[in-house]
Amino acid sequence: MFVILTYDVGVDRVNKIRKLLKKYLTWTQNSVFEGEITKGKLDKCLSEVEKIVDKNHDSIYIYTIRSTKFISKNILGNEKSFDELFL
Amino acid sequence: MNKDYYIFSHGRLKRKDNTVYFIDGGDNKRSLPIEQVDKLHLFGEIDLNSKLLNFLPRFGVMLNFYNYYGYYSGTYYPREKNVSGFMKVKQAEYYNNHESRLFLAKTFVDSATHHILRNLRRYEEVSKEVIEGIEKERNNIETTDEISKLMGVEGRIRKWYYKSFNEILKNGFKMNKREKRPPNDPVNSLISFGNSLMYTTVLGEIYKTQVDPTISFLHEPSTKRFSLSLDLAEIFKPLIIDSVVFKLINNRMIKKDHFDNEEGICFLNEKGKKKFISEYDKKLKTTIKHRKLKRKVSYQMFIRLECYKLIKHFIEDQTYKSLKAWW
C-alpha cells in the first residue's frame, strides 16, 4: 500500500523522527514522508515511532491508500527527491 | 515488495542515520529507505566502505556489481541466513543420481522450449517450418539419456529460435548469429545484457530460499559460479528477457543510438541500459493470477516459487513440475 505520513513534533524530537522514518519511506518535504510499504513494515515503523513521540504534544498523521491506481500526484514548483529506480 | 535500485552515476555509497546514502559527484545526497531495498545494482564507479558492508547484511541487501560494459562481475551478499544442511545433502543426492539429475535437466529444457514456442507463436511472421522444427526437436528431449546429448538438443532448438529473430524484429534490427563473447551487434548485446540481469535476479531469489545455488543439474556444477541460477534462468530467459527485447525493438523504444561500438564489441550505453532496465523491472513486477495459490503473483515471485518447488521435490514431497506459462 501507499502511505503519506506527516508529523508535527517537538523541536527536540524532529531529528529523531526524521532519521527513523528515513529507513522506511522517502522524505519528500519537511515533515512529510511518502512511499510504498507493506502493512507489517508500517506497523514495525509505527511501533518504533511510538517510543520516541510524546503523545500529549506530538501528532503524526498517516494516510494510507490501498491501491496506487486511484491517486494522482501533481507538483507545483520544485520536485524534491522522489523515489526513482535509477541513481 | 522491496525494490531494486540501479546506480549509474559515479559517487559514494555510505551508511548514515541507519540507512543508505548515495552521494554523487555533484554532491547531491539521496537517502534510500533501507527497509524497502531488495538489491542494489552498481553500474557506475562507486566508493564504499566497510561500515556500509557491515550494515547491509542486517537487512539482507545484496550488492551486485557490473563492469563497464554492463556485464555481471560479482555479488556481495549477506551471510547466508537460510542454511539447511539437510536440504543441501538432499539436493546433492539428486545431482549424484544420474536418473534423477537427468529428470530435472529435462524439465528445465522442456520448460524453456515451451516458452520459446510460446514466443514464436505470437508472431505470424514466423514460418511454420521453424515451429515444426522445434516441436520435432522437443520430442527428442524425452528420449535422451545423456546430459551432453540434452545440451545438444537444446543448442539445436536455440539455433532455430535465434534464426527466427530476424522475422520477428522490425525497424532495421537484424541478428546473424548468437554471439556472446563479445556480442558484436545490437540484438546480441541486448540479449547478453538481459541475460546477465536475469542471472542476478534468479540468484537473488535463490538466496531467499534454502536451495544451494552451486549444485545444478542441467549445467555442470563447477567451481567459481552459481550454476543453479543458470539452470533456472533457462526457464525464464525466453519468458522475460526475450519478450522485453521484442517489445523494446518493435515499439521503437530502443534505437541504434542507444548502442556504442568499441573495437567490435557492441554494448548498450547508459541511456539504453536505463531503457532496458525500466522495462525489465516493469515486467518482473507484472502479476498473474496463480491457478493454485489463487492470488496474484509477480514474475519475480514465480522465480522463487520454482525454488520452493525444487525444495518440495528434494524432500520427496511433490514431484517437480517446471513452470509453463499458461496465460
Side-chain angles (χ1 to χ4, degrees):
Chain A
M1 60 187 173
F2 190 81
V3 169
I4 301 166
L5 192 149
T6 67
Y7 59 90
D8 193 350
V9 297
V11 192
D12 46 341
R13 291 181 293 273
V14 169
N15 271 333
K16 279 186 188 164
I17 290 286
R18 197 191 62 235
K19 279 183 186 174
L20 183 116
L21 290 174
K22 266 190 181 174
K23 289 201 303 193
Y24 295 91
L25 296 162
T26 319
W27 191 28
T28 34
Q29 275 183 342
N30 289 338
S31 45
V32 179
F33 278 84
E34 62 177 59
E36 197 103 32
I37 195 169
T38 57
K39 178 88 175 46
K41 287 261 174 73
L42 184 64
D43 288 347
K44 191 177 160 213
C45 171
L46 293 179
S47 76
E48 281 183 58
V49 168
E50 269 178 23
K51 282 180 200 151
I52 300 173
V53 293
D54 175 354
K55 280 198 180 141
N56 297 321
H57 298 98
D58 304 341
S59 68
I60 295 189
Y61 294 175
I62 303 130
Y63 306 90
T64 55
I65 299 132
R66 291 236 190 102
S67 162
T68 46
K69 272 180 203 160
F70 303 112
I71 48 166
S72 65
K73 181 184 172 188
N74 298 310
I75 295 131
L76 273 179
N78 214 358
E79 183 178 10
K80 281 194 199 162
S81 82
F82 193 64
D83 227 16
E84 243 236 345
L85 202 61
F86 303 113
L87 290 174
Chain B
M1 191 165 48
N2 286 352
K3 271 176 139 181
D4 281 22
Y5 287 91
Y6 299 84
I7 304 179
F8 283 97
S9 334
H10 302 325
R12 184 171 179 77
L13 209 56
K14 66 172 193 176
R15 167 188 180 174
K16 199 182 173 233
D17 298 345
N18 269 334
T19 190
V20 182
Y21 268 71
F22 179 69
I23 305 160
D24 68 13
D27 271 346
N28 297 310
K29 279 183 210 161
R30 265 282 310 270
S31 72
L32 308 177
I34 184 78
E35 294 273 0
Q36 304 293 337
V37 180
D38 189 23
K39 293 186 237 54
L40 291 170
H41 301 262
L42 312 187
F43 287 90
E45 256 177 58
I46 286 142
D47 292 340
L48 28 91
N49 57 9
S50 52
K51 224 159 104 187
L52 178 88
L53 295 180
N54 278 328
F55 178 63
L56 291 178
R58 274 178 31 198
F59 296 89
V61 176
M62 284 170 79
L63 275 181
N64 290 321
F65 296 89
Y66 300 83
N67 72 6
Y68 178 73
Y69 300 101
Y71 293 111
Y72 174 69
S73 52
T75 305
Y76 172 72
Y77 69 95
R79 168 181 62 85
E80 287 220 48
K81 282 186 196 137
N82 296 320
V83 287
S84 161
F86 173 70
M87 267 303 308
K88 199 170 277 189
V89 171
K90 284 282 178 197
Q91 194 179 341
E93 267 174 21
Y94 273 82
Y95 165 74
N96 250 345
N97 183 320
H98 180 73
E99 280 302 306
S100 43
R101 179 184 171 191
L102 200 62
F103 168 77
L104 283 173
K106 277 177 185 172
T107 49
F108 291 143
V109 177
D110 190 52
S111 177
T113 316
H114 176 87
H115 293 139
I116 283 175
L117 284 167
R118 182 171 171 272
N119 273 347
L120 295 179
R121 288 203 181 102
R122 294 208 161 168
Y123 295 88
E124 288 172 4
E125 295 87 345
V126 178
S127 60
K128 280 246 157 58
E129 191 201 343
V130 174
I131 293 181
E132 275 162 18
I134 294 180
E135 273 169 349
K136 210 177 272 168
E137 207 60 73
R138 190 185 186 178
N139 296 331
N140 293 339
I141 296 175
E142 214 22 69
T143 53
T144 44
D145 50 3
E146 211 59 62
I147 297 284
S148 54
K149 282 180 198 154
L150 187 65
M151 288 290 240
V153 174
E154 195 231 348
R156 285 195 294 278
I157 289 174
R158 286 212 177 262
K159 217 170 171 185
W160 282 103
Y161 181 46
Y162 287 126
K163 231 194 234 163
S164 60
F165 265 42
N166 286 337
E167 281 139 38
I168 294 170
L169 299 174
K170 292 184 204 120
N171 306 325
F173 279 89
K174 282 271 168 293
M175 174 168 120
N176 295 325
K177 204 173 150 247
R178 176 84 178 106
E179 204 66 69
K180 285 186 218 166
R181 283 161 237 217
N184 55 1
D185 65 50
V187 183
N188 271 310
S189 70
L190 279 174
I191 299 172
S192 290
F193 182 66
N195 287 349
S196 62
L197 287 177
M198 190 77 254
Y199 182 72
T200 56
T201 311
V202 174
L203 188 58
E205 294 305 310
I206 289 178
Y207 276 133
K208 292 174 189 163
T209 70
Q210 277 81 13
V211 285
D212 189 301
T214 55
I215 305 173
S216 59
F217 304 93
L218 174 62
H219 296 81
E220 195 59 47
S222 62
T223 50
K224 291 185 211 161
R225 54 185 202 160
F226 295 128
S227 37
L228 185 65
S229 35
L230 300 179
D231 280 7
L232 288 178
E234 212 61 51
I235 300 176
F236 291 96
K237 267 162 18 185
L239 186 65
I240 296 175
I241 301 299
D242 297 343
S243 60
V244 169
V245 171
F246 296 155
K247 185 180 175 190
L248 284 169
I249 291 180
N250 288 353
N251 295 345
R252 291 178 208 274
M253 292 160 85
I254 217 147
K255 296 191 189 78
K256 289 266 154 77
D257 62 340
H258 285 126
F259 297 93
D260 280 344
N261 233 318
E262 259 176 41
E263 292 166 14
I265 308 172
C266 183
F267 60 95
L268 278 163
N269 59 24
E270 196 181 314
K271 246 175 97 187
K273 278 182 206 154
K274 283 184 180 172
K275 271 259 160 68
F276 193 102
I277 289 170
S278 46
E279 228 19 76
Y280 175 68
D281 202 70
K282 235 190 261 168
K283 186 88 186 172
L284 282 182
K285 291 199 164 63
T286 312
T287 55
I288 285 111
K289 178 114 187 224
H290 196 284
R291 289 185 296 191
K292 268 199 208 116
L293 298 177
K294 297 209 166 55
R295 63 175 168 88
K296 284 184 164 181
V297 169
S298 65
Y299 275 88
Q300 186 167 358
M301 191 62 194
F302 269 113
I303 303 174
R304 204 183 324 162
L305 288 178
E306 281 312 292
C307 302
Y308 290 147
K309 280 196 268 178
L310 278 176
I311 292 178
K312 283 201 157 192
H313 182 76
F314 295 144
I315 61 172
E316 280 147 33
D317 181 26
Q318 218 171 63
T319 315
Y320 177 70
K321 249 175 84 185
S322 55
L323 174 75
K324 280 178 193 150
W326 61 81
W327 54 88

